[in-house]
Amino acid sequence: MTKFYSFHGTITMINDFFTGPNGEGCYKLISVDNGLGALVNFVVSPNTYFVDHVMVSVGDQVTGYYDGNAPAILIYPPQYQAIVMVKNSPYQNVKVDYFNSELESSDGRLRLNITPFTQIVLTNGQQFSRPPANRDLIVIYGPTTKSIPAQTTPYRIIVLC
């Protein structure tokens, strides 16, 4: 179970991140400013999942998710290995978290109601044939109830294996 943390802001810079002669051009360093004086650099690797496989550029509003339990170098601005990147959209909400057997997020803020129309896939786009409970998930959804936890019927669930 990964402890997901997120950082939201505007992309201010995208550069190549040097990892060695065989990795040239495969890694990017994306700088994100939240507009309140906080900056984060995300190291984006070929394994970083971009929701909807979108291309991001300077000026885009994004949310980056990273493992809060992973070791991080002590520099400013902080630098994290991005697990999931989301280009923010007013038409969909995204939650990246561990969902338990009741399909409730680890922070207790969101509960999923799965229907036969809910698309459940792997990061490679293939159908996931098992129940999504007790897994790390990327949940793409719209409206929620005002209850605690909020409930929603997701449009799509991406299972992070």
Side-chain angles (χ1 to χ4, degrees), residues 5 14 19 34 50 63 67 74 87 114 119 121 137 147 149:
Y5 285 76
I14 301 174
T19 60
N34 73 352
F50 280 78
T63 302
D67 184 351
L74 295 174
K87 183 175 178 180
I114 307 294
Q119 184 184 29
V121 297
L137 306 175
S147 62

Side-chain angles (χ1 to χ4, degrees), residues 45-58:
S45 75
N47 294 328
T48 301
Y49 184 79
F50 280 78
V51 172
D52 296 328
H53 303 287
V54 296
M55 185 79 66
V56 296
S57 58
V58 171

Side-chain angles (χ1 to χ4, degrees), residues 40-87:
V40 164
N41 288 330
F42 285 108
V43 177
V44 175
S45 75
N47 294 328
T48 301
Y49 184 79
F50 280 78
V51 172
D52 296 328
H53 303 287
V54 296
M55 185 79 66
V56 296
S57 58
V58 171
D60 287 342
Q61 293 286 315
V62 297
T63 302
Y65 292 88
Y66 59 96
D67 184 351
N69 293 330
I73 57 176
L74 295 174
I75 60 171
Y76 184 82
Q79 184 172 296
Y80 302 116
Q81 177 71 40
I83 298 171
V84 177
M85 293 293 289
V86 179
K87 183 175 178 180

Side-chain angles (χ1 to χ4, degrees), residues 99 103 112-114 118-122 128 132 136-140 154-160:
F99 286 81
L103 292 175
L112 308 180
N113 299 316
I114 307 294
T118 303
Q119 184 184 29
I120 304 173
V121 297
L122 297 166
F128 184 71
D136 292 331
L137 306 175
I138 303 169
V139 179
I140 301 166
Y155 304 141
R156 185 165 27 125
I157 296 173
I158 299 135
V159 179
L160 296 170

